[in-house]
């Protein structure tokens, strides 16, 4: 799902009844905002010239689910408001779930996965990439050994970008989510430091 397809029109579809997506107001989704700030460190480190991702909110419609407080659906989007993939505040108001998950590590994994989906679909490229094996990585829990690792084990720790390895199939953790800058080759690290100094006024 993305911003453009959300407003698709045709038989049986009336644009008038769809609430307009809008950028999230600062402080409205503190855990999601904190997680996205971490993920944006990886975006800025690995995609030169790319602006930070944002949170977009689709407000509740006329037929909101009964019970609880429906604060809308939140997506990780490009700066222009387009997104792809699932919402990051998955909850069921009928079950009185909190609007945001309590566990910060689960929030971070969810936001990182959504950011990856948006970037890959809208920029048409694998992201992020393991520099050692030149292949795309995935969000996993540390020391994962299989492609699908749905539930974190007890005390799993913070999520990582995980590479399934080269032809030998050697799985490995590339870095913690938010720490990809440390994995860049020397030339890219130097360029990143120069761009950061420019953004900070040359300090």
């Amino acid at each position: 799902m993305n911003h453009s397809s959300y407003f698709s029109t045709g038989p049986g579809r009336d644009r008038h009844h769809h609430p307009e997506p809008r950028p999230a107001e600062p402080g409205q989704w503190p855990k999601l905002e904190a997680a996205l700030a971490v993920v944006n460190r990886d975006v800025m480190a690995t995609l030169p010239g790319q602006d930070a991702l944002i949170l977009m909110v689709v407000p509740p419609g006329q037929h909101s689910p009964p019970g609880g407080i429906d604060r809308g659906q939140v997506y990780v989007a490009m700066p222009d408001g387009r997104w792809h993939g699932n919402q990051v505040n998955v909850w069921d108001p009928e079950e009185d779930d909190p609007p945001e998950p309590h566990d910060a590590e689960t929030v971070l994994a969810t936001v990182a996965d959504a950011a990856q989906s948006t970037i890959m679909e809208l920029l048409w490229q694998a992201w992020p990439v393991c520099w050692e094996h030149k292949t795309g990585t995935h969000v996993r829990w540390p020391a994962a050994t299989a492609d699908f690792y749905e539930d974190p084990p007890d005390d799993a720790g913070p999520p990582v970008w995980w590479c399934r390895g080269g032809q030998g199939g050697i799985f490995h953790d590339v870095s913690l989510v938010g720490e990809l800058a440390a994995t860049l080759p020397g030339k890219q690290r130097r360029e990143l430091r120069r761009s950061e100094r420019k953004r900070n006024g040359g300090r």
Side-chain angles (χ1 to χ4, degrees), residues 109-184:
T110 301
V111 169
D113 186 68
Q116 182 181 49
S117 180
T118 288
I119 288 173
M120 290 181 64
E121 179 68 19
L122 299 182
L123 296 185
W124 288 27
Q125 67 180 75
W127 182 85
V129 171
C130 170
W131 287 98
E132 179 182 355
H133 295 111
K134 306 298 188 292
T135 187
T137 64
H138 305 272
V139 181
R140 294 291 185 272
W141 304 103
T145 58
D147 279 352
F148 298 100
Y149 206 74
E150 296 180 355
D151 297 316
D154 293 337
D155 302 321
V160 300
W161 294 115
W162 175 88
C163 173
R164 65 181 58 154
Q167 294 181 348
I170 301 174
F171 307 117
H172 71 105
D173 299 342
V174 175
S175 81
L176 293 172
V177 173
E179 301 297 332
L180 279 176
T183 72
L184 296 177

Side-chain angles (χ1 to χ4, degrees), residues 27 29-41 55 100 104 107-108 111:
W29 301 95
K31 293 180 181 178
L32 295 176
E33 291 172 18
L36 186 57
V38 173
V39 174
N40 270 327
R41 293 204 303 258
L55 296 176
E100 297 179 287
V107 176
L108 180 57
V111 169

Side-chain angles (χ1 to χ4, degrees), residues 69-121:
I69 301 175
D70 190 347
R71 297 169 63 192
Q73 298 171 328
V74 185
Y75 298 88
V76 176
M78 301 296 283
D80 62 7
R82 294 175 301 139
W83 72 80
H84 180 85
N86 297 324
Q87 68 187 85
V88 292
N89 64 325
V90 180
W91 63 293
D92 185 350
E94 292 185 347
E95 297 296 329
D96 200 27
D97 290 339
E100 297 179 287
H102 291 301
D103 178 31
E105 292 170 353
T106 299
V107 176
L108 180 57
T110 301
V111 169
D113 186 68
Q116 182 181 49
S117 180
T118 288
I119 288 173
M120 290 181 64
E121 179 68 19

